[in-house]
Structures are given as structure tokens and as C-alpha cells.
């Protein structure tokens, strides 16, 4: 197969130099002997390289030496050939150095009609080049170049230098420099004089622009003051981000030109004296681009070929086809579609589709191979064994490879097979047998013939018994939670293996991935079990049984009965102060009739959903509306409905929209109305606030009423806060500790509600007026002090004594940091513990009641006793006598800061307890330390040793019993 990329489109031709034209060949799909032959054409005539000529071939490249403008300029094309055919490249044009073609720039010359003719332009000598040129102007002498700005402009299309407004600084000599961007050579023209241009606009009416190219539009105006240049599209469309406008030089650049960029463009030049504009149209064109290519094919003789070639272009392209570099008959080509019927060997070769319009031409290649071979079964032998079901149909395929297609016949055993209404040879050569019987078993041979030879292939047909399902199709009606078995038992040919597959609602059941519900029962049957069946398991179950020769299936419909589904469209239709009317629709009954409905409600104050009272009280299965009663006024409610049948209660409906009951007079009074206490001349009244859900409307508050016990009229006060729980009436005329009757009512925006029951409370009492007398303090030990006093009278008509407050502090502490002990009731003594030994403490006492504390008593002080001895007795000795133990020890002498030793304390240990024994009295101090436990243990171990001799000089108490 041959394929290559065509040469470059343009070349620069210079005198006395050599050039090469390259045809680049990609990968070659051919044998090693497939050598390439390359030929070149110039202006449709073959170039014949000869020894000593200016033309030579280097690989596939054409080399031309000593170029001649008259002989070598023209259109070149390369042809590459091998044993598979010939293809041609697209054309390449070779030009001389000075040519006429230019890049796609548009020139619009524009001058404002200003007076005095003060705008000028300089025109260089005529010079044209096929490659892109750049123009610059020298002012006076090199390297002083003319700098472009809003007043001066150099056209890169014509090379003209425009001066919008000539100033004195412009006087001088101007020289044009033209540079070829390809060869990098420059030409310098002669000095050019200034002259006044003609007032005219020169531009093509329509400028064609190639797809994806870059377009530059130039616009410059002469005038005084210097004109400003602006651009716009006549259709009003805005410029995209890619468009670049150089306001200083008046150049509009459109890169990557597309169809949407085509249209009419307008340049506007204006100054304070006038305005002028010029228009030009850019049209879009695109060279052909292939969108569908023919592919290499291999066909058999007498077959047909259809190749389609499509390209996108503007204007639309025309198509032609080449075979081995030569044009095909146009009769075989229809708008890019090539059709060849009844192929023969002469059609073999390389084909090329050429799509072209006036802007370009594109080639695509494809190879056609035509095969002619004798019948061959090596790649497609008949199956060695074909299994068929008795009573079924069987197809034995026969697909030999041969070209052209010949005749196919069949034999059974050694006899030619006769066709009948059951036995038929199909058009493609395969054998079809219908309603197969045991007699059809045997060896079958397919024979293929054409003009190049004969071949055959054989295989055996085995007839098996049909498979059938013995379990009847059925209908199962079950209750949710039950477990059921779906049977699938079969009779089949014992030589064939069975495969069972189950489907649920036509979806494959994947055992193990459907949770714990589906389970194969096991054995040779295909039975399955559904455990703990649920509502979603209702549907059609299909058991499919498959062998190598046939497949059968059976379906069972399973109905699952369960609690009803949730009711639908639960809505509130009307509300009053204490009722709400509801309606709903029935949900799925899940194959068991709905027997009753239940309504539940929820408020912002309730703990979840609660059942409510309805009218009618019992909601039967056909009841789809009800009235909920005993609601609280002015509370926002949500409702839901649950349905029940003989199996159970189903899921609740979606909650209704929130609805608020209407407001009404409050009906609930505060609980636990009480009071008393407070400061002097105060009456304190307390109560438990009414919960929000029982306030019956907005603007809720309390009315507090009170009067002296026995009085007729009530005094009242309003408390506006619904969360208030206390009211204090303060008046100097209120006698202390006097009984009052109080009650608390409620109100809201609708009016006043009821009052609570009347309760008797007392006004604030006076604080105690006297201090307790006879305050005494006595040290009991190093850490304890007992304080006593004479009590005040317990009560009178103005005050009570609720208890006493004792304050004490150490000599190193301030009185403000004193420790406070409060007693309750008519108690007259306090024991202070955890004090420091040998320390002085100060204390004072005062009585208190609900009004506060009374005056403070005089301050007394007390010093705690010294600490007990810190040393334990030593040198313990003992003796036994019958039931007595005689102990003795060394006397303990107290230290200077310790209390005097006045006695000893002995403890004896039994197996379950210690028993104390005091030898003598003491001063009331705590005892000193005992003998350490370890020593005591040693002592008890030796207690009954007969070797112990007591010391008669030591105090020895007797331990008896």
C-alpha cells in the first residue's frame, strides 16, 4: 500500500541555486519486494532525469540544479508506484522570487475632507513579492526611522507613509526600506518627495478570507486636527475577545478567522471639523477538509464495492476519483460516491479521492484487493458435534472460504442429502432441519465447488431428549414475614447437564447479593426459598432451565399481603379554637382490605406524635375524613394518618401542612399560687407560669389580685410577660408579717380568663431587732470549741426567729473572712470542729428570719487547748495469770507545747474487733498515738510466752476476761 504527504505548496526560487521537492512517505504496508518507483510531473508532463541533466532523483525527492525561471516555474506533482498500484501527491507550485501574490491584508485608504490640503502621503517605488514584506521609512539619515503614532502611519500592505497633519518637524528626506521576511533581504528606495494625495478610497468590494487565517484591516485618515480612528461591525455585533484593535495605528486584527467573523466592517475617522467613514466586506472561505475517507478493502470476485468520500469546504467541493494516478470515468462517480458492481481482477489497484474547490485540493488514498481462490474449509470447519433437541430445529453452518462463490451440496453418510419440507439447504449454504427426530442423527458432509476446485468438511448430529419442567405454573398468596419455597423440577436427557437461573420481575436474581432473603434449596432441583418475605418481594418469579440443546422456563406469580401503605394527601380543611377537620386518600392496601384509620398530632410542645380524639370516634376503612377534637387554642399542629388491616398497622402518611387553631379566651389559671418573704413593706406573690400551649392566644399576661385578710375589695395589677412567675407589691403602709388573700388570673388579646383559687400569704416581716445574749465559748480539745447562747423570743406579731448565724475567725484573719455557720430553729449551741490547737478564735452571733439578719452580739474569744502527746508508750512488757494479762510500759513525758499526760488508753484485739480500756481519767484531750500496728502484732504473737518477766516499776493495768 502506498501513501504520502504532498510537498509544500510554495517555494522561493532564486537564480543559480538548487532546490529539492520532497514527497514524504509514511509507513509501507507491503512485502520486502514491494519496491517504490517515483516519478515527477511538471505542468502535467513527465520529467525524465537523464545523466548530465539538471534533474535528478534522490530517493523519492526531485533535485533541480541551476534553476531557470522560464523553464522551471510551474506546477509539480509526484507519483509513487509499486506492485499494488500508483498514487499521486497534490500539486506544488514553484514561483520566481518576484511574484504577485500577497498575504490576506486589506487596505482601505481614507482621508478627511479638511481644508488647506494639509494631509500628505509618501508612496514607495512599486515592488511586489509572493512572500510577506515589511515596510519602514528612514527620515533624513539612517538610523532615524519614522515612529508611528496617531499622526503618522506606515501601511504594511502598500508601504505608503501617511501623515495626517504635516508639521514643521516633518520637513526632510524620506527613504522607504522594504524587507523580505523569508529571505531576510532588504531593498532601499530613492528619496521620495511629499505630495498631496487624491481624495479617494480604494479597497475591494469583497475580501475573501481563509478559515483559521489572520486578517488585518488598515485604516488611516488625513486631516487637521489629527483624526481619531474607530472600528465597528455594520450588523451591530460586538467584537470578541480575540479581536485586537490598535487605536494608535488604526489596525484591526482578527486571528483564527471563522464563519461568524464574516460580515461588513466599518472604519470611522473624525475630528472636530468633520467625520468620514469607509466600509468593506470580509467573506469566509475554507479549503476542503475530509470528514469521511474510504478505507482499504478486500473483496471477492463478483462482489460489489461502494466507497464514499466526503469533505467540508466553502464553497462546496467537487469530487473526482483516480485509479493508479489516472482519472476514472465520471459515470462511476456520484458526488464523491464511487460504485463498482461485479468486481473482477482488473479492478485491483490504488484509488484516490480528490475533493477540491477554488481555494484548495485534498487527496485521500485507499487500496482495493480482489480475491479469487478455490474452496477452503481450513478456517471454518464444520462443528465436530452438533446437538439437537428431539422435536426442535437445528442449523448446521457451512462457511467455506472461496472466490468466486460456487455451489454447496450436502451428504448424510455416503448418500446425497435430499431436501424436503423438514430438510432445507439455505441460500448461504447452511443446512436447516425442522422437527428433529432420532432418525436424523448421523454424519453430515458439506461439499463446496467453484471453477478453481472442490473441498468438503464433515460433522456428526446427535439428537437428545427435550427438557421439560414438571412443576406447574402457579400463583402463591403469602403474608409478610412468611418463608416460602418456589419449585422448579424438570425431566431431561440424563446425558446433559442442567443450569437453573431465576429471575424476579425479569431481573436476574444474584444469590448472595440480595441480602438474606433468597436461598437455593439444593439438590438436583432448581427450587429456591424466600425467607421472611417482604412487600417488595411481590411479583413474577421465573425459573429458566438450560441445557446444551434447549431451554425452558416457568413463571409463578407471588402476592404478598401486608399492612397497608401510608395514606396519601393528608390535609387540614378547616380549624376552630379546639378542632381541626382532616381529609386524606387511601394508600396501598397490600392485598388486605383497610379496616380502620388512626390520626396522630404533633405540636412544638409535644414529645413526638400523640394519638388524638376524633369525631367519629372510630374511623372505618372507607372513612376518608374526620374532625380532631380537644385541641388547644392558638397552637400550631401537624397531623398524620395511619391505616390498619387484619395484618397490622402500616406506615404513617406524610405530615400535613402546619395549621394553627384559632385564638380564644384563656381557660387555664396559674398553678401553685403562693408568696411571702421579701424586704420591708413588701408583699411578694409567686405562681407557676402557664405553658405556651395553654395560653389560647397572643398577648397573654397575668392579673394579680390581693387584699388584707378580712377586707372586701381587691387590689389588682397586670403582669404583661407570659413567662413571669413573681409580683412584688411595695408600700410603706403594709404592716409587717400580716396575712393577705391573693389570687392570680389570666388574659390575652381576646379578654380576661378565670382566676386561680384564693390563697393566704403573709407580707414581709421585720428583721430581728435584738442580738442574742450570754454568748459563751468553751474549748473542749485542741480542735473543738463549744459555743452557747441565750435564745430570743421565737415569734411575735411583727417578726419570727428562723435561726441564728455564728461567725468565727482566727486571730490572724480579718473579720470579713470569717467562717459562717447557720442554725435552723430554736437551737442554742454549736460545736465547732477542725480548729488548730493552742490558737485563739473570735466569734459573734446574730438572729435571722426571712427579712434578713438582726444586730450582731458582742464578740467573744476562746483559746483551744494544747495538742495531745505526740509520743507513743515504749518498752511494753506483759505477764499472764490465768485469765489476766498484766502490762507495763515506760512513762510518757509531754513536750512543752503539748498537754500534760493524765492517763493511758489500752486497746485489746480479738479475732473480730478491738476493745478499748482506759487505765485512768484524763483532761478531755484526745489520746496520743498507740503502739504501731507492726509492734502490736509482735506483741500479740508473744502475749502468751512464759518467758516474759514484767517490770514492777511500770504502771500495769489488768486486762481481764
Amino acid at each position: 500500500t502506498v501513501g504520502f504527504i504532498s510537498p509544500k505548496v510554495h517555494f522561493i526560487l532564486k537564480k543559480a541555486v538548487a532546490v529539492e521537492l520532497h514527497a514524504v512517505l509514511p509507513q509501507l504496508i507491503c512485502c520486502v519486494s514491494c519496491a517504490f518507483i517515483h516519478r515527477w510531473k511538471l505542468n502535467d508532463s513527465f520529467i525524465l532525469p537523464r545523466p548530465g541533466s539538471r534533474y535528478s532523483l534522490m530517493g523519492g525527492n526531485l533535485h533541480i540544479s541551476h534553476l531557470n525561471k522560464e523553464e522551471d516555474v510551474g506546477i509539480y506533482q509526484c507519483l509513487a508506484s509499486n506492485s499494488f498500484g500508483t498514487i499521486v501527491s497534490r500539486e506544488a507550485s514553484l514561483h520566481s522570487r518576484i511574484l504577485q501574490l500577497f498575504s490576506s491584508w486589506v487596505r482601505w485608504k481614507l482621508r478627511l475632507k479638511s481644508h488647506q490640503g494639509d494631509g500628505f502621503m509618501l508612496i514607495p517605488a512599486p515592488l511586489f513579492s509572493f512572500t510577506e514584506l515589511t515596510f519602514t521609512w528612514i527620515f533624513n539619515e539612517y538610523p532615524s526611522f519614522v515612529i508611528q503614532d496617531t499622526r503618522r502611519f506606515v501601511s504594511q500592505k502598500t508601504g505608503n507613509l501617511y501623515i495626517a497633519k504635516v508639521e514643521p518637524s516633518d520637513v526632510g528626506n524620506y527613504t522607504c526600506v522594504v524587507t523580505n521576511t523569508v529571505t531576510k533581504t532588504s531593498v532601499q528606495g530613492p528619496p521620495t518627495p511629499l505630495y498631496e494625495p487624491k481624495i479617494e478610497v480604494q479597497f475591494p468590494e469583497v475580501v475573501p478570507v481563509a478559515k483559521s487565517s489572520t486578517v488585518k484591516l488598515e485604516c488611516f485618515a488625513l486631516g487637521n486636527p489629527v483624526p481619531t480612528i474607530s472600528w465597528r461591525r455594520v450588523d451591530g455585533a460586538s467584537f470578541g475577545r480575540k479581536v485586537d484593535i490598535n487605536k494608535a495605528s488604526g489596525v484591526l486584527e482578527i486571528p483564527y478567522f471563522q464563519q461568524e467573523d464574516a460580515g461588513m466592517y466599518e472604519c470611522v475617522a473624525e475630528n472636530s471639523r468633520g467625520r468620514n467613514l469607509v466600509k468593506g466586506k470580509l467573506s469566509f472561505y475554507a479549503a476542503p477538509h475530509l470528514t469521511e475517507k474510504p478505507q482499504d478493502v478486500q473483496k471477492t470476485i463478483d462482489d460489489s464495492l461502494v466507497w464514499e468520500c466526503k469533505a467540508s469546504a466553502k464553497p462546496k467541493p467537487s469530487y473526482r476519483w483516480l485509479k493508479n494516478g489516472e482519472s476514472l470515468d465520471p459515470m462511476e462517480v456520484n458526488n464523491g460516491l464511487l460504485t463498482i458492481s461485479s468486481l473482477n481482477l482488473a479492478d485491483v489497484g490504488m484509488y484516490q479521492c480528490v475533493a477540491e474547490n477554488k481555494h484548495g485540493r485534498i487527496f485521500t488514498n485507499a487500496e482495493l484487493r480482489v480475491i479469487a481462490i478455490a474452496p477452503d474449509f481450513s478456517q471454518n470447519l464444520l462443528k465436530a458435534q452438533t446437538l439437537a433437541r428431539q422435536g426442535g430445529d437445528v442449523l448446521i453452518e457451512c462457511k467455506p472460504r472461496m472466490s468466486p462463490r460456487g455451489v454447496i451440496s450436502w451428504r448424510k453418510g455416503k448418500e446425497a442429502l435430499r431436501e424436503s419440507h423438514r430438510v432445507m439447504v439455505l441460500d448461504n449454504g447452511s443446512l436447516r432441519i425442522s422437527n428433529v427426530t432420532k432418525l436424523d442423527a448421523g454424519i453430515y458432509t458439506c461439499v463446496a465447488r467453484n471453477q478453481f476446485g472442490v473441498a468438503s468438511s464433515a460433522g456428526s448430529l446427535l439428537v437428545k431428549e427435550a427438557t421439560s419442567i414438571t412443576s406447574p405454573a402457579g400463583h402463591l398468596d403469602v403474608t409478610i414475614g412468611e418463608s416460602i419455597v418456589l419449585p422448579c423440577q424438570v425431566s431431561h436427557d440424563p446425558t446433559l447437564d442442567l443450569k437453573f437461573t431465576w429471575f424476579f420481575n425479569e431481573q436476574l436474581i444474584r444469590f448472595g447479593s440480595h441480602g438474606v432473603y433468597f436461598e437455593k434449596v439444593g439438590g438436583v432441583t432448581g427450587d429456591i426459598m424466600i425467607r421472611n418475605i417482604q412487600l417488595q418481594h411481590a411479583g413474577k418469579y421465573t425459573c429458566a432451565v438450560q441445557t446444551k440443546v434447549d431451554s425452558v422456563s416457568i413463571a409463578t406469580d407471588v402476592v404478598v399481603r401486608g399492612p397497608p401503605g401510608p395514606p396519601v394527601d393528608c390535609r387540614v380543611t378547616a380549624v376552630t379554637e379546639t378542632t381541626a377537620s382532616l381529609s386524606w386518600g387511601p394508600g396501598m392496601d397490600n392485598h388486605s382490605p383497610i379496616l380502620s384509620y388512626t390520626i396522630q398530632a404533633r405540636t412544638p410542645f409535644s414529645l413526638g406524635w400523640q394519638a388524638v380524639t376524633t369525631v367519629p370516634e372510630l374511623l372505618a376503612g372507607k372513612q376518608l375524613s374526620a374532625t380532631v377534637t380537644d385541641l388547644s387554642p392558638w397552637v400550631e399542629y401537624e397531623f398524620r394518618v395511619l391505616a390498619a388491616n387484619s395484618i397490622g398497622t402500616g406506615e404513617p402518611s406524610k405530615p400535613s401542612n402546619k395549621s394553627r387553631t384559632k385564638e380564644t379566651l384563656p381557660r387555664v389559671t396559674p398553678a401553685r399560687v403562693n408568696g411571702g418573704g421579701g424586704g420591708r413593706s413588701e408583699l411578694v406573690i409567686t405562681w407557676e407560669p402557664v405553658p405556651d400551649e395553654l395560653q389560647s392566644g397572643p398577648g397573654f399576661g397575668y392579673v394579680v389580685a390581693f387584699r388584707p385578710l378580712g377586707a372586701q375589695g381587691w387590689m389588682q395589677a397586670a403582669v404583661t410577660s407570659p413567662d413571669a412567675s413573681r409580683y412584688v407589691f411595695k408600700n410603706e403602709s403594709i404592716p409587717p408579717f400580716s396575712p393577705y388573700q391573693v389570687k392570680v388570673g389570666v388574659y390575652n388579646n381576646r379578654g380576661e380568663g378565670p382566676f386561680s383559687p384564693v390563697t393566704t400569704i403573709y407580707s414581709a416581716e421585720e428583721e430581728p431587732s435584738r442580738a442574742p445574749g450570754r454568748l459563751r465559748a468553751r474549748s473542749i480539745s485542741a480542735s473543738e470549741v463549744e459555743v452557747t447562747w441565750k435564745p430570743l423570743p421565737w415569734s411575735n406579731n411583727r417578726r419570727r426567729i428562723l435561726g441564728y448565724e455564728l461567725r468565727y475567725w482566727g486571730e490572724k484573719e480579718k473579720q470579713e473572712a470569717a467562717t459562717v455557720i447557720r442554725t435552723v430553729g430554736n437551737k442554742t449551741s454549736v460545736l465547732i470542729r477542725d480548729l488548730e490547737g493552742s490558737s485563739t478564735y473570735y466569734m459573734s452571733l446574730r438572729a435571722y428570719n426571712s427579712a434578713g439578719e438582726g444586730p450582731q452580739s458582742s464578740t467573744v474569744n476562746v483559746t483551744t487547748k494544747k495538742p495531745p502527746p505526740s509520743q507513743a508508750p515504749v518498752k511494753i512488757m506483759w505477764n499472764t495469770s490465768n485469765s489476766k494479762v498484766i502490762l507495763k510500759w515506760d512513762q510518757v513525758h509531754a513536750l512543752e507545747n503539748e498537754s500534760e499526760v493524765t492517763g493511758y488508753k489500752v486497746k485489746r484485739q480479738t479475732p473480730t474487733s478491738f476493745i478499748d480500756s482506759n487505765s485512768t481519767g484524763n483532761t478531755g484531750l484526745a489520746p496520743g498515738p498507740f503502739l504501731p500496728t507492726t509492734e502490736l502484732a509482735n506483741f500479740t504473737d508473744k502475749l502468751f510466752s512464759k518467758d516474759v518477766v514484767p517490770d514492777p516499776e511500770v504502771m500495769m493495768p489488768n486486762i481481764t476476761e
Side-chain angles (χ1 to χ4, degrees), residues 296-354:
D296 295 344
V297 294
Q298 181 173 287
K299 296 282 187 176
T300 60
I301 284 182
D302 296 331
D303 202 351
S304 61
L305 169 71
V306 177
W307 261 331
E308 188 171 13
C309 175
K310 285 186 179 180
S312 62
K314 187 174 182 182
K316 290 184 178 180
S318 61
Y319 300 91
R320 55 190 176 91
W321 284 81
L322 306 177
K323 177 189 174 186
N324 293 329
E326 301 294 333
S327 295
L328 288 177
D329 185 349
M331 297 299 293
E332 297 177 320
V333 180
N334 181 14
N335 196 27
L337 196 68
L338 174 63
T339 303
I340 305 176
S341 58
S342 188
L343 291 169
N344 55 53
L345 295 179
D347 296 318
V348 172
M350 295 299 302
Y351 289 78
Q352 289 180 283
C353 172
V354 184

Side-chain angles (χ1 to χ4, degrees), residues 261-400:
D261 297 319
M264 188 72 71
Y265 287 75
E266 182 178 79
C267 172
V268 179
E270 56 186 327
N271 61 11
S272 59
R273 298 191 178 189
R275 182 175 183 271
N276 204 346
L277 59 86
V278 67
K279 298 179 182 179
K281 184 176 182 180
L282 298 182
S283 65
F284 174 83
Y285 75 86
H289 172 73
L290 284 172
T291 59
E292 188 168 337
K293 304 176 182 179
Q295 302 296 322
D296 295 344
V297 294
Q298 181 173 287
K299 296 282 187 176
T300 60
I301 284 182
D302 296 331
D303 202 351
S304 61
L305 169 71
V306 177
W307 261 331
E308 188 171 13
C309 175
K310 285 186 179 180
S312 62
K314 187 174 182 182
K316 290 184 178 180
S318 61
Y319 300 91
R320 55 190 176 91
W321 284 81
L322 306 177
K323 177 189 174 186
N324 293 329
E326 301 294 333
S327 295
L328 288 177
D329 185 349
M331 297 299 293
E332 297 177 320
V333 180
N334 181 14
N335 196 27
L337 196 68
L338 174 63
T339 303
I340 305 176
S341 58
S342 188
L343 291 169
N344 55 53
L345 295 179
D347 296 318
V348 172
M350 295 299 302
Y351 289 78
Q352 289 180 283
C353 172
V354 184
E356 56 189 332
N357 63 11
K358 63 180 181 180
H359 301 292
R361 180 181 301 155
I362 192 166
F363 291 74
T364 181
N365 312 324
E367 179 192 2
L368 171 63
R369 293 187 182 184
V370 179
I371 329 173
I373 57 174
D376 179 17
F377 282 96
S378 61
Q379 302 298 322
N380 290 295
L381 292 171
L382 260 66
K383 291 176 63 175
Q385 282 188 345
T386 299
L387 301 180
R389 173 178 62 86
Q390 186 174 352
D393 297 341
V394 67
L395 180 70
I396 305 176
E397 292 185 336
C398 178
K399 294 182 178 180

Side-chain angles (χ1 to χ4, degrees), residues 77-257:
Q77 194 170 29
C78 174
L79 293 83
S81 305
N82 63 11
S83 59
F84 294 101
T86 301
I87 58 173
V88 300
S89 73
R90 64 176 177 175
E91 295 91 347
S93 59
L94 186 62
H95 301 267
S96 64
R97 179 183 180 188
I98 306 302
L99 300 176
Q100 301 174 8
L101 214 50
F102 207 83
S103 64
S104 57
W105 283 49
V106 181
R107 175 171 63 97
W108 297 344
K109 289 167 46 181
L110 175 65
R111 186 175 78 87
L112 281 181
K113 297 178 180 180
S114 58
H115 38 256
Q116 300 295 328
D118 51 358
F120 292 89
M121 71 176 177
L122 298 175
I123 301 177
L127 185 64
F128 300 95
S129 172
F130 178 78
T131 56
E132 188 170 346
L133 305 178
T134 60
F135 297 91
T136 54
W137 285 83
I138 298 174
F139 178 55
N140 290 330
E141 294 182 357
Y142 179 86
S144 177
F145 288 95
V146 173
I147 305 300
Q148 294 189 78
D149 52 25
T150 57
R151 196 172 60 85
R152 291 170 294 189
F153 175 71
V154 177
S155 171
Q156 295 303 316
K157 171 64 179 176
T158 63
N160 294 351
L161 168 61
Y162 297 90
I163 304 176
K165 173 190 173 186
V166 175
E167 296 180 352
S169 60
D170 296 324
V171 175
N173 294 319
Y174 292 81
T175 303
C176 179
V177 179
V178 183
T179 303
N180 188 308
T181 59
V182 176
T183 62
K184 306 301 181 183
T185 58
S186 299
V187 177
Q188 181 172 315
T192 304
L194 291 175
Y195 76 98
E196 184 176 3
K198 297 179 180 179
I199 303 175
E200 61 179 9
V201 176
Q202 298 178 1
F203 61 93
E205 182 179 354
V206 178
V207 178
V209 183
K211 177 183 178 182
S212 302
S213 63
T214 297
V215 182
K216 291 183 180 180
L217 307 179
E218 292 182 349
C219 183
F220 187 75
L222 309 179
N224 183 11
V226 175
T228 59
I229 303 296
S230 61
W231 290 90
R232 62 180 292 271
R233 289 187 60 156
V234 176
D235 58 7
S238 60
F239 292 122
R241 290 185 178 181
K242 68 177 182 177
V243 176
D244 181 32
I245 301 177
N246 190 327
K247 294 184 178 180
S249 62
V251 175
L252 172 70
E253 182 174 333
I254 308 174
Y256 197 69
F257 192 85

